[in-house]
Amino acid sequence: GEDVEQSLFLSVREGDSSVINCTYTDSSSTYLYWYKQEPGAGLQLLTYIFSNMDMKQDQRLTVLLNKKDKHLSLRIADTQTGDSAIYFCAERPTGYSTLTFGKGTMLLVSP
Amino acid sequence: EAGVTQSPTHLIKTRGQQATLRCSPISGHTSVYWYQQALGLGLQFLLWYDEGEERNRGNFPPRFSGRQFPNYSSELNVNALELEDSALYLCASSPTGTSTLEQFFGPGTRLTVL
């Protein structure tokens, strides 16, 4: 079965880089997603990566995947106060259509 | 393009009552997923509908049920409400025929059971 773990809280200063970490347990090929949830809102898909990739970059976001350790990270460069939100890591093994989410990491960006 | 919409935004019920939550997917999406986001528990998968059929179900009791209509909109019904059903219920939709199966989420319905 799948289990996705995340640290619960991260605090950074505006302009710094943020790194949010996630570990997953499923051993089959899988898609891994990062979602952002702002207060009172639904989830916004930020990016995703397939488990045969090592890295994906999209503007200020960089996703790194360590397949051996089943460790996924989301790096946000030049973090802004508007990046303050809860970030969810999610996993979907190929052949399945449902996502398994971590409990979310609350990112707090201070000026 | 309109996103996933959900109604109502907030719903207040008492124990033992029934709640009905509604979701309209993005135009062209045939799959609808329901998730429960309860405090401290993260997001838990509830139900998946595709082409009008229930395709998968999470680890929830049978009093959580739903359906998908011919226009692909969906309804989630929760019978015999309990206090611990208080949560944000999120609906997501995805297109068919794509291997990535990105799920796009609505803003949620906040259900409070008193």
Side-chain angles (χ1 to χ4, degrees):
Chain A
E2 311 103 34
D3 194 17
V4 180
E5 301 281 344
Q6 298 179 242
S7 51
L8 293 181
F9 186 74
L10 177 65
S11 178
V12 300
R13 290 199 175 276
E14 194 172 22
D16 288 349
S17 291
S18 307
V19 180
I20 301 170
N21 295 301
C22 169
T23 57
Y24 63 100
T25 58
D26 197 89
S27 58
S28 56
S29 60
T30 191
Y31 285 92
L32 297 148
Y33 305 80
W34 283 105
Y35 282 86
K36 175 184 179 183
Q37 185 178 36
E38 296 182 78
L43 272 67
Q44 174 195 354
L45 177 64
L46 291 176
T47 187
Y48 64 88
I49 192 169
F50 188 54
S51 55
N52 67 354
M53 298 167 65
D54 296 320
M55 184 181 111
K56 183 176 182 181
Q57 187 154 5
D58 184 1
Q59 299 182 335
R60 291 191 298 123
L61 304 179
T62 303
V63 178
L64 292 176
L65 178 61
N66 180 329
K67 290 181 282 294
K68 176 175 166 290
D69 295 337
K70 293 190 170 52
H71 180 267
L72 181 75
S73 66
L74 174 70
R75 179 176 180 270
I76 306 173
D78 187 25
T79 315
Q80 303 297 306
T81 55
D83 294 325
S84 291
I86 300 176
Y87 290 80
F88 289 92
C89 170
E91 174 182 36
R92 182 182 69 79
T94 52
Y96 289 81
S97 291
T98 56
L99 300 175
T100 299
F101 285 86
K103 286 191 166 49
T105 299
M106 179 178 289
L107 173 65
L108 181 63
V109 184
S110 52
Chain B
E1 180 185 285
V4 177
T5 59
Q6 292 186 244
S7 63
T9 306
H10 293 89
L11 190 57
I12 299 175
K13 294 284 186 179
T14 56
R15 265 190 311 177
Q17 284 189 313
Q18 182 203 38
T20 298
L21 290 65
R22 295 179 179 85
C23 172
S24 290
I26 291 171
S27 177
H29 289 190
T30 62
S31 276
V32 170
Y33 309 81
W34 287 96
Y35 293 86
Q36 182 195 66
Q37 187 178 19
L39 201 61
L41 293 177
L43 275 137
Q44 306 286 318
F45 165 69
L46 261 168
L47 289 158
W48 169 35
Y49 291 95
D50 183 59
E51 297 283 357
E53 302 281 332
E54 182 181 301
R55 301 295 184 184
N56 199 3
R57 181 181 184 86
N59 189 24
F60 281 84
R63 58 191 186 81
F64 287 83
S65 65
R67 52 181 172 165
Q68 187 178 33
F69 299 99
N71 66 354
Y72 304 114
S73 66
S74 176
E75 213 171 70
L76 174 69
N77 295 294
V78 189
N79 294 320
L81 283 165
E82 300 178 3
L83 296 178
E84 53 264 33
D85 297 332
S86 294
L88 181 67
Y89 288 83
L90 292 166
C91 170
S93 73
S94 73
T96 54
T98 62
S99 60
T100 54
L101 283 181
E102 299 161 53
Q103 294 186 14
F104 298 87
F105 283 77
T109 293
R110 173 75 60 187
L111 173 63
T112 302
V113 182
L114 302 175

